Amino acid sequence: MHIPDGLLDPITTIVLWIVTIIIMILGYFRMGKMFEKEDSEKLIPYIGVLAAIIFAFQFVNYPVPGGTSGHLVGGTLVAIILGPWASVIVLFLILVIQSLFGDGGITALGANAFNMGIIGGIVGFYLVVLFVRLLNKTSLKKELKVTIATAIGSYIAIVLASFICAIEISVGGVIPIEIAIPAMVFWHIFIGLGEAIISALIIFYIYKTKPEFITTESMLGVK
Amino acid sequence: MKLAEKNRYKWPLITVLTVIAALMLVIAVGFTIGFLSENPDGLERVLIDYYGEEWLENLFSPWIPFLSWITNDYVAGILGVVLSIAVLMGTFYIITHSKKRKLE
């Protein structure tokens, strides 16, 4: 879903850059209290590990039927681990590094961060919160509730991000909207399955081994 | 370095090395066993279906990505992981310290 340079019209490009920058500044101020704690430096090595995992998963593409491929975006996954506001900054930085390799454009960075960081991270996170609250009515174990909610939330977030991406590229007239939306959403219905499975497995693994790294547990409201 | 500090970095370091090793292994065997794919992703597929591959390759870009000359997957993978770790740890180190300084 990495938008290359030359695809978006100037107004869309500028607007999405401005929105992304505002959200990141807001994110800095609203980021969880965990970054203000006495021992918050302890988190930094683990942020390094998370960066390695996200880059590695984004680097490799899994096959999707119909001659297409997909890879993890990881917005929702990072949001569950570090919080929704921190996830926008993490995704933005990873997208900057990927753009150095030619994966996603530099002018389109604002749009890519909007789609993958803000839709994938913030919107995805609150979808997970919604599904956790629905699953609280069941007798499932805590880790299963969060795992299932992660799978559903990250899946919807990816399909939604593809829908938004289709609107962005059609605004500039590159592809008519009536073609862009069905095509983008169709492929991401399949690609999103990989996102859901990988995100859910990672969250389940962390819950089983180091549950304290799910720093948003209180925000998720899991019982 | 104090023992507590060594322990703080021990597991993250082991995990990062494991991630890099796993990534190298996946790149090495992934395409052979069909676990990985070089097919275009969702957005590329939509654009190729509409305009063709040549159009997509000739989109105007105001810059040449600094690291696009690296065509070897293994080198790009390792460099990308190392860069991601450095940039993210550096940024969050600054964020953590600036937030603490404000509180003091």
Coordinates of all heavy atoms in Angstrom, one line a residue, chain A residues 77-152:
Chain A
L77 N -0.8 -3.4 15.4 CA 0.1 -4.2 16.2 C 1.0 -3.3 17.1 O 1.0 -3.4 18.4 CB 1.0 -5.1 15.4 CG 2.1 -5.8 16.1 CD1 1.6 -6.9 16.9 CD2 3.1 -6.4 15.0
V78 N 1.6 -2.3 16.5 CA 2.4 -1.3 17.3 C 1.6 -0.5 18.3 O 1.9 -0.3 19.4 CB 3.2 -0.3 16.3 CG1 4.0 0.7 17.2 CG2 4.1 -1.1 15.4
A79 N 0.3 -0.1 17.8 CA -0.5 0.6 18.7 C -0.9 -0.1 19.9 O -1.0 0.4 21.0 CB -1.8 1.0 17.9
I80 N -1.1 -1.5 19.8 CA -1.5 -2.2 21.0 C -0.3 -2.4 21.9 O -0.5 -2.3 23.2 CB -2.0 -3.7 20.6 CG1 -3.3 -3.5 19.7 CG2 -2.3 -4.5 21.8 CD1 -3.7 -4.8 19.0
I81 N 0.9 -2.4 21.4 CA 2.1 -2.6 22.2 C 2.5 -1.2 22.9 O 2.7 -1.2 24.1 CB 3.2 -3.2 21.4 CG1 2.8 -4.6 21.0 CG2 4.5 -3.3 22.3 CD1 3.8 -5.2 20.0
L82 N 2.5 -0.2 22.1 CA 3.1 1.1 22.6 C 2.0 2.2 22.8 O 2.4 3.3 23.3 CB 4.2 1.6 21.6 CG 5.5 0.9 21.6 CD1 6.4 1.5 20.6 CD2 6.2 0.9 22.9
G83 N 0.9 2.0 22.3 CA -0.2 3.0 22.4 C -0.4 3.6 21.0 O 0.5 3.6 20.2
P84 N -1.7 4.1 20.8 CA -2.0 4.6 19.4 C -1.2 5.8 19.0 O -0.9 5.9 17.8 CB -3.5 4.9 19.6 CG -3.8 5.0 21.0 CD -2.8 4.2 21.7
W85 N -0.9 6.7 19.9 CA -0.2 7.9 19.5 C 1.3 7.6 19.1 O 1.8 8.1 18.1 CB -0.3 9.0 20.6 CG -1.7 9.4 20.8 CD1 -2.4 9.0 21.9 CD2 -2.5 10.3 20.0 NE1 -3.7 9.6 21.8 CE2 -3.7 10.3 20.6 CE3 -2.2 10.9 18.8 CZ2 -4.8 11.1 20.1 CZ3 -3.3 11.7 18.3 CH2 -4.5 11.8 18.9
A86 N 1.9 6.7 19.9 CA 3.3 6.3 19.6 C 3.4 5.6 18.3 O 4.4 5.7 17.6 CB 3.8 5.5 20.8
S87 N 2.3 4.9 18.0 CA 2.3 4.0 16.7 C 2.5 4.9 15.5 O 3.1 4.5 14.5 CB 1.1 3.2 16.6 OG 0.0 3.9 16.3
V88 N 1.9 6.1 15.5 CA 2.0 7.0 14.3 C 3.4 7.4 14.1 O 3.9 7.4 13.0 CB 1.1 8.3 14.5 CG1 1.2 9.1 13.2 CG2 -0.3 7.9 14.8
I89 N 4.1 7.7 15.2 CA 5.5 8.1 15.1 C 6.4 6.9 14.6 O 7.2 7.1 13.8 CB 6.0 8.7 16.4 CG1 5.2 10.0 16.8 CG2 7.5 9.0 16.4 CD1 5.5 10.6 18.1
V90 N 6.1 5.8 15.2 CA 6.9 4.6 14.8 C 6.7 4.3 13.3 O 7.7 4.1 12.6 CB 6.5 3.3 15.7 CG1 7.0 2.0 15.1 CG2 6.9 3.5 17.1
L91 N 5.4 4.3 12.9 CA 5.2 3.9 11.5 C 5.8 5.0 10.5 O 6.3 4.7 9.5 CB 3.7 3.8 11.2 CG 3.0 2.4 11.3 CD1 3.4 1.6 10.0 CD2 3.4 1.6 12.5
F92 N 5.7 6.3 11.0 CA 6.3 7.3 10.1 C 7.8 7.1 9.9 O 8.3 7.2 8.8 CB 6.0 8.7 10.8 CG 6.6 9.9 10.0 CD1 5.9 10.4 8.9 CD2 7.8 10.4 10.3 CE1 6.5 11.4 8.2 CE2 8.4 11.5 9.6 CZ 7.7 12.0 8.5
L93 N 8.5 6.8 11.0 CA 9.9 6.6 11.0 C 10.3 5.4 10.1 O 11.2 5.5 9.3 CB 10.5 6.5 12.4 CG 10.4 7.8 13.2 CD1 10.8 7.5 14.7 CD2 11.3 8.9 12.7
I94 N 9.5 4.3 10.3 CA 9.8 3.1 9.4 C 9.5 3.4 8.0 O 10.3 3.0 7.1 CB 9.0 1.9 10.0 CG1 9.6 1.5 11.3 CG2 9.0 0.8 8.9 CD1 9.0 0.3 11.9
L95 N 8.5 4.2 7.7 CA 8.2 4.6 6.3 C 9.3 5.5 5.7 O 9.6 5.4 4.5 CB 6.8 5.3 6.2 CG 5.6 4.3 6.4 CD1 4.4 5.2 6.6 CD2 5.5 3.4 5.2
V96 N 9.9 6.3 6.6 CA 11.0 7.2 6.1 C 12.1 6.3 5.7 O 12.7 6.4 4.6 CB 11.5 8.1 7.2 CG1 12.8 8.8 6.8 CG2 10.4 9.2 7.5
I97 N 12.5 5.3 6.5 CA 13.6 4.4 6.1 C 13.2 3.6 4.9 O 14.1 3.4 4.0 CB 13.9 3.4 7.3 CG1 14.4 4.3 8.5 CG2 14.9 2.3 7.0 CD1 14.3 3.6 9.9
Q98 N 12.0 3.1 4.8 CA 11.6 2.4 3.6 C 11.7 3.2 2.3 O 12.1 2.8 1.2 CB 10.2 1.8 3.7 CG 10.2 0.6 4.7 CD 8.8 0.1 4.9 OE1 7.8 0.8 4.7 NE2 8.8 -1.1 5.4
S99 N 11.4 4.5 2.5 CA 11.4 5.4 1.3 C 12.9 5.6 0.8 O 13.1 5.8 -0.4 CB 10.8 6.7 1.6 OG 11.6 7.5 2.5
L100 N 13.8 5.4 1.7 CA 15.3 5.5 1.3 C 15.6 4.4 0.4 O 16.5 4.5 -0.4 CB 16.2 5.5 2.6 CG 16.0 6.6 3.6 CD1 17.0 6.3 4.8 CD2 16.3 7.9 3.0
F101 N 14.9 3.3 0.5 CA 15.1 2.1 -0.4 C 14.2 2.2 -1.6 O 14.3 1.3 -2.4 CB 14.8 0.8 0.4 CG 15.8 0.5 1.5 CD1 15.7 0.9 2.8 CD2 17.0 -0.2 1.2 CE1 16.6 0.6 3.8 CE2 17.9 -0.5 2.1 CZ 17.7 -0.1 3.5
G102 N 13.4 3.2 -1.7 CA 12.5 3.3 -2.9 C 11.2 2.7 -2.7 O 10.4 2.6 -3.6
D103 N 10.9 2.3 -1.5 CA 9.6 1.6 -1.2 C 8.7 2.7 -0.6 O 8.7 3.0 0.6 CB 9.7 0.5 -0.2 CG 8.6 -0.5 -0.2 OD1 7.7 -0.3 -1.1 OD2 8.5 -1.4 0.6
G104 N 7.9 3.3 -1.5 CA 7.0 4.5 -1.1 C 7.7 5.7 -1.3 O 9.0 5.8 -1.2
G105 N 7.0 6.7 -1.8 CA 7.6 8.0 -2.2 C 7.9 8.9 -1.0 O 7.4 8.8 0.0
I106 N 8.8 9.9 -1.3 CA 9.2 10.9 -0.2 C 8.1 11.9 -0.2 O 7.7 12.4 0.9 CB 10.6 11.4 -0.5 CG1 11.1 12.2 0.8 CG2 10.7 12.4 -1.7 CD1 11.7 11.3 1.8
T107 N 7.5 12.4 -1.3 CA 6.5 13.4 -1.3 C 5.2 12.7 -0.8 O 4.3 13.4 -0.2 CB 6.2 14.0 -2.6 OG1 5.9 13.0 -3.6 CG2 7.4 14.8 -3.1
A108 N 5.0 11.4 -1.0 CA 3.8 10.7 -0.5 C 3.9 10.2 0.9 O 3.1 9.5 1.4 CB 3.6 9.5 -1.5
L109 N 5.0 10.5 1.6 CA 5.2 10.0 2.9 C 4.1 10.4 3.9 O 3.7 9.6 4.7 CB 6.6 10.6 3.4 CG 7.3 9.9 4.6 CD1 7.4 8.4 4.3 CD2 8.6 10.6 4.8
G110 N 3.6 11.7 3.7 CA 2.5 12.1 4.5 C 1.3 11.2 4.3 O 0.6 10.8 5.3
A111 N 1.0 10.9 3.1 CA -0.2 10.1 2.8 C 0.0 8.6 3.3 O -0.9 8.0 3.8 CB -0.4 10.0 1.2
N112 N 1.2 8.1 3.1 CA 1.5 6.8 3.5 C 1.4 6.7 5.1 O 0.9 5.7 5.6 CB 2.9 6.3 3.1 CG 2.9 6.0 1.6 OD1 1.9 5.5 1.1 ND2 4.0 6.2 0.9
A113 N 1.9 7.7 5.8 CA 1.9 7.7 7.2 C 0.4 7.9 7.7 O 0.0 7.3 8.7 CB 2.7 8.8 7.8
F114 N -0.4 8.6 6.9 CA -1.8 8.8 7.2 C -2.5 7.4 7.1 O -3.2 7.0 8.0 CB -2.4 9.8 6.3 CG -3.9 10.0 6.6 CD1 -4.3 11.0 7.5 CD2 -4.9 9.3 5.9 CE1 -5.6 11.2 7.8 CE2 -6.2 9.5 6.1 CZ -6.6 10.5 7.1
N115 N -2.3 6.7 6.0 CA -3.0 5.5 5.8 C -2.5 4.4 6.7 O -3.3 3.7 7.3 CB -2.7 5.0 4.3 CG -3.3 5.9 3.3 OD1 -4.1 6.8 3.6 ND2 -2.7 5.9 2.1
M116 N -1.2 4.2 6.9 CA -0.7 3.1 7.7 C -0.6 3.4 9.2 O -0.7 2.6 10.0 CB 0.6 2.6 7.1 CG 0.4 2.0 5.7 SD 1.9 1.4 5.0 CE 2.1 2.3 3.5
G117 N -0.2 4.7 9.5 CA 0.0 5.1 10.9 C -1.3 5.5 11.5 O -1.6 5.0 12.6
I118 N -2.0 6.4 10.9 CA -3.2 7.0 11.5 C -4.4 6.0 11.4 O -5.0 5.7 12.4 CB -3.5 8.4 11.0 CG1 -2.3 9.3 11.3 CG2 -4.8 8.9 11.6 CD1 -2.4 10.7 10.7
I119 N -4.6 5.6 10.1 CA -5.8 4.6 10.0 C -5.4 3.3 10.6 O -6.1 2.7 11.4 CB -6.2 4.5 8.5 CG1 -6.4 5.8 7.8 CG2 -7.3 3.5 8.3 CD1 -7.7 6.5 8.2
G120 N -4.2 2.8 10.2 CA -3.7 1.5 10.7 C -3.5 1.5 12.2 O -3.8 0.5 12.8
G121 N -2.9 2.6 12.7 CA -2.5 2.6 14.1 C -3.7 3.1 15.0 O -4.2 2.3 15.8
I122 N -4.0 4.4 14.8 CA -5.0 4.9 15.8 C -6.4 4.3 15.6 O -7.0 3.8 16.5 CB -5.1 6.5 15.6 CG1 -3.7 7.1 16.0 CG2 -6.2 7.1 16.5 CD1 -3.6 8.6 15.9
V123 N -6.9 4.3 14.3 CA -8.2 3.7 14.1 C -8.2 2.3 14.4 O -9.2 1.8 15.0 CB -8.7 4.0 12.6 CG1 -10.0 3.4 12.3 CG2 -8.8 5.5 12.3
G124 N -7.2 1.6 14.0 CA -7.1 0.1 14.2 C -7.1 -0.2 15.7 O -7.8 -1.1 16.2
F125 N -6.4 0.7 16.5 CA -6.4 0.5 18.0 C -7.8 0.6 18.6 O -8.2 -0.2 19.4 CB -5.4 1.5 18.6 CG -5.4 1.4 20.1 CD1 -4.6 0.4 20.7 CD2 -6.1 2.3 20.9 CE1 -4.6 0.3 22.1 CE2 -6.1 2.2 22.3 CZ -5.3 1.2 22.9
Y126 N -8.5 1.6 18.2 CA -9.8 1.8 18.8 C -10.8 0.8 18.3 O -11.8 0.5 19.0 CB -10.3 3.3 18.6 CG -9.6 4.2 19.5 CD1 -8.5 5.0 19.1 CD2 -9.8 4.1 20.9 CE1 -7.8 5.8 20.0 CE2 -9.1 4.9 21.8 CZ -8.1 5.7 21.3 OH -7.3 6.5 22.2
L127 N -10.6 0.2 17.1 CA -11.4 -0.9 16.7 C -11.1 -2.1 17.6 O -12.0 -2.9 18.0 CB -11.1 -1.3 15.2 CG -11.6 -0.4 14.1 CD1 -11.0 -0.7 12.8 CD2 -13.2 -0.6 14.0
V128 N -9.8 -2.3 18.0 CA -9.5 -3.4 18.9 C -10.2 -3.2 20.2 O -10.7 -4.1 20.8 CB -7.9 -3.5 19.0 CG1 -7.6 -4.6 20.1 CG2 -7.3 -3.9 17.7
V129 N -10.1 -1.9 20.7 CA -10.8 -1.6 22.0 C -12.3 -2.0 21.9 O -12.8 -2.6 22.8 CB -10.6 -0.1 22.3 CG1 -11.5 0.3 23.5 CG2 -9.2 0.2 22.6
L130 N -12.9 -1.6 20.8 CA -14.3 -1.9 20.6 C -14.6 -3.4 20.7 O -15.5 -3.9 21.4 CB -14.8 -1.4 19.3 CG -16.2 -1.7 18.8 CD1 -17.2 -0.9 19.6 CD2 -16.4 -1.4 17.4
F131 N -13.7 -4.2 20.0 CA -14.0 -5.7 20.0 C -13.6 -6.3 21.3 O -14.2 -7.3 21.7 CB -13.2 -6.3 18.8 CG -13.9 -6.0 17.5 CD1 -13.3 -5.1 16.6 CD2 -15.1 -6.5 17.1 CE1 -13.9 -4.8 15.4 CE2 -15.7 -6.2 15.9 CZ -15.1 -5.3 15.1
V132 N -12.6 -5.8 22.0 CA -12.3 -6.3 23.3 C -13.5 -6.1 24.2 O -13.9 -7.0 25.0 CB -11.0 -5.6 23.9 CG1 -11.0 -5.8 25.4 CG2 -9.8 -6.1 23.3
R133 N -14.1 -4.9 24.2 CA -15.3 -4.7 25.0 C -16.4 -5.6 24.7 O -17.2 -6.1 25.6 CB -15.7 -3.2 24.9 CG -14.5 -2.3 25.2 CD -14.8 -1.3 26.2 NE -13.4 -0.9 26.7 CZ -13.1 0.4 26.9 NH1 -13.9 1.3 26.7 NH2 -11.9 0.6 27.3
L134 N -16.6 -5.9 23.4 CA -17.6 -6.9 23.0 C -17.3 -8.3 23.5 O -18.2 -9.0 24.0 CB -17.8 -6.9 21.5 CG -18.4 -5.7 20.8 CD1 -18.4 -5.8 19.3 CD2 -19.9 -5.5 21.2
L135 N -16.0 -8.6 23.4 CA -15.6 -10.0 23.9 C -15.6 -10.1 25.4 O -15.6 -11.2 25.9 CB -14.2 -10.3 23.3 CG -14.2 -10.6 21.8 CD1 -12.8 -10.5 21.2 CD2 -14.8 -11.9 21.5
N136 N -15.6 -9.0 26.1 CA -15.7 -9.0 27.6 C -16.9 -9.7 28.1 O -17.0 -10.1 29.2 CB -15.6 -7.6 28.1 CG -14.1 -7.1 28.3 OD1 -13.2 -8.0 28.3 ND2 -13.9 -5.8 28.4
K137 N -17.9 -9.7 27.2 CA -19.2 -10.4 27.6 C -19.1 -11.9 27.5 O -20.0 -12.6 27.9 CB -20.3 -9.9 26.6 CG -20.7 -8.4 26.8 CD -21.6 -7.9 25.8 CE -21.8 -6.4 25.9 NZ -22.3 -5.8 24.7
T138 N -18.0 -12.4 26.9 CA -17.8 -13.9 26.8 C -16.9 -14.3 28.0 O -16.4 -13.5 28.7 CB -17.1 -14.2 25.5 OG1 -15.8 -13.7 25.5 CG2 -17.9 -13.7 24.3
S139 N -16.8 -15.6 28.1 CA -15.9 -16.2 29.2 C -14.5 -16.5 28.7 O -13.8 -17.3 29.3 CB -16.6 -17.4 29.8 OG -16.8 -18.4 28.7
L140 N -14.1 -16.0 27.6 CA -12.8 -16.3 27.0 C -11.7 -15.7 27.9 O -11.9 -14.8 28.7 CB -12.7 -15.6 25.6 CG -13.4 -16.2 24.5 CD1 -13.3 -15.3 23.3 CD2 -12.9 -17.6 24.1
K141 N -10.5 -16.4 27.8 CA -9.4 -15.9 28.6 C -8.9 -14.5 28.1 O -9.1 -14.2 26.9 CB -8.2 -16.8 28.5 CG -8.4 -18.1 29.3 CD -7.1 -18.9 29.2 CE -7.3 -20.2 30.1 NZ -6.2 -21.1 29.9
K142 N -8.3 -13.7 28.9 CA -7.9 -12.4 28.6 C -7.0 -12.3 27.3 O -7.3 -11.5 26.4 CB -7.0 -11.8 29.7 CG -7.7 -10.8 30.6 CD -6.9 -10.6 31.8 CE -6.1 -9.3 31.8 NZ -5.5 -9.0 33.1
E143 N -6.0 -13.2 27.2 CA -5.2 -13.2 26.1 C -5.9 -13.5 24.8 O -5.6 -13.0 23.7 CB -3.9 -14.1 26.3 CG -4.2 -15.6 26.4 CD -4.2 -16.0 27.9 OE1 -4.6 -15.1 28.7 OE2 -3.9 -17.1 28.2
L144 N -6.9 -14.4 24.9 CA -7.7 -14.8 23.7 C -8.5 -13.6 23.2 O -8.7 -13.4 22.0 CB -8.5 -16.0 24.0 CG -7.8 -17.4 23.8 CD1 -8.8 -18.5 24.1 CD2 -7.3 -17.5 22.4
K145 N -9.1 -12.9 24.2 CA -9.9 -11.7 23.8 C -9.1 -10.7 23.1 O -9.5 -10.2 22.0 CB -10.5 -11.1 25.1 CG -11.6 -11.8 25.8 CD -12.0 -11.1 27.1 CE -12.9 -12.0 27.9 NZ -13.2 -11.4 29.2
V146 N -7.9 -10.4 23.6 CA -7.1 -9.4 22.9 C -6.6 -10.0 21.6 O -6.5 -9.2 20.6 CB -5.9 -9.0 23.8 CG1 -5.0 -8.0 23.1 CG2 -6.4 -8.4 25.1
T147 N -6.2 -11.2 21.5 CA -5.8 -11.8 20.3 C -6.9 -11.8 19.2 O -6.6 -11.3 18.0 CB -5.3 -13.3 20.5 OG1 -4.3 -13.3 21.5 CG2 -4.7 -13.9 19.2
I148 N -8.1 -12.2 19.5 CA -9.2 -12.2 18.6 C -9.5 -10.7 18.1 O -9.6 -10.4 16.9 CB -10.4 -12.9 19.1 CG1 -10.1 -14.4 19.3 CG2 -11.6 -12.7 18.2 CD1 -11.2 -15.1 20.2
A149 N -9.5 -9.8 19.1 CA -9.8 -8.4 18.8 C -8.7 -7.8 17.9 O -9.0 -7.0 17.0 CB -10.0 -7.6 20.1
T150 N -7.5 -8.2 18.2 CA -6.4 -7.7 17.3 C -6.6 -8.2 15.9 O -6.4 -7.4 15.0 CB -5.0 -8.3 17.9 OG1 -4.9 -7.8 19.2 CG2 -3.9 -7.8 17.0
A151 N -6.9 -9.5 15.7 CA -7.1 -10.0 14.4 C -8.2 -9.2 13.6 O -8.0 -8.8 12.5 CB -7.4 -11.5 14.5
I152 N -9.3 -9.1 14.3 CA -10.4 -8.4 13.6 C -10.1 -6.9 13.4 O -10.3 -6.4 12.3 CB -11.8 -8.5 14.5 CG1 -12.1 -10.0 14.7 CG2 -12.9 -7.9 13.7 CD1 -13.2 -10.3 15.7

